[in-house]
Amino acid sequence: MSAKKETLGKTVGVVVAVCLVCSIIVSGAAVGLRELQQTNAALDKQSNILTAAGLLSEVKTKEDIAIVYDAKVEERFVNLETGEYVANPAEGEGKPYDMYGRVSKAAATSTKIEGSPAGFSRRANIANIYLIKDESGSVTRIILPVHGSGLWDLMYGFLALDADGQTIRELIYYQHKETPGLGGEIQNPDWQKKWDGKQLFNNGSVAIEVNKGDNKDDLYAVDALSGATLTSNGVENSLQFWAGENGFGAYLKKQSWKS
């Protein structure tokens, strides 16, 4: 009996030891990889912003992403209620400001949105925006983060406007859960090209639509995705919201980037 107990004790001891060693290895790997993961996440974000800015052709290697971004992109922070620039809310925290996540959920840093067709109940009070500048320092594009509900979940993207704050150049979606071949076509380059030159406003009101039919000659409409009505509606609702008074409306009216 004692031998059996001794054998059982050894077995349990070995299992505990193995689990402990594995835990240490996994924890160590997670800590060791955290910086690499953060670096890759930052590069992915920068790459998407450069795509929206029309600058990705200047990137030849992975190292070029940060170089081109630092040379051509200026990140600013906007109070969505006033449309004014503000200081970086995350200054001194040791990490970038993110208008999503906890910032968009906490009552102190976000605003409740009643009946938003974009499909979320709160949005951050302060948003990141990105100014694209030429060699003389003049702003050539404004990149605005946009998000809203698709068929399955929220879709996240970047809307690129000319310096007139009116003409759309790109709409890039980088995170979504839409159905491949249907709503997932929001990432199809052929559909993305349809946005180039479309107008966001008409006589001061948000006018951009996504609807069925051939809208090639309509300045205020883009063709809906075939078989993906809810995704198409979600794109339209997102842009209507973010270009409106609860989104970047005040900022776009002020056109602070020209001053």
Side-chain angles (χ1 to χ4, degrees), residues 112-129:
K112 187 174 182 179
I113 305 298
E114 299 288 353
S116 168
F120 49 86
S121 59
R122 305 191 72 91
R123 63 110 174 102
N125 294 330
I126 297 174
N128 315 63
I129 64 98

Side-chain angles (χ1 to χ4, degrees), residues 8 23 59 85 98 106 112 119 142 146 154 156 164 167 169 194 198 205-206 208 226 234-235 239 246 249 257:
L8 178 60
S23 297
V59 175
Y85 290 128
D98 182 4
K112 187 174 182 179
I142 306 102
V146 296
L154 292 177
Y156 295 84
D164 60 5
T167 305
R169 288 304 171 200
K194 295 179 184 292
K198 299 296 182 178
S205 298
V206 183
I208 192 67
S226 178
V235 172
L239 296 186
N246 288 315
W257 59 90

Side-chain angles (χ1 to χ4, degrees), residues 67-120:
I67 295 173
V68 175
Y69 183 91
D70 290 342
K72 300 289 183 70
V73 182
E74 179 185 4
E75 182 178 21
R76 300 293 298 269
F77 306 90
V78 174
N79 182 315
L80 293 178
E81 182 177 355
T82 65
E84 300 285 351
Y85 290 128
V86 295
N88 182 353
E91 189 70 43
E93 293 184 5
K95 58 183 179 180
Y97 175 73
D98 182 4
M99 63 182 283
Y100 302 126
R102 63 179 180 82
V103 169
S104 64
K105 296 176 182 177
T109 55
S110 67
T111 296
K112 187 174 182 179
I113 305 298
E114 299 288 353
S116 168
F120 49 86

Side-chain angles (χ1 to χ4, degrees), residues 197-199 208-209 211 214-222:
K198 299 296 182 178
Q199 302 296 294
I208 192 67
E209 297 179 346
N211 54 47
D214 184 0
N215 296 292
K216 185 173 70 171
D217 297 324
D218 189 336
L219 288 176
Y220 306 100
V222 172

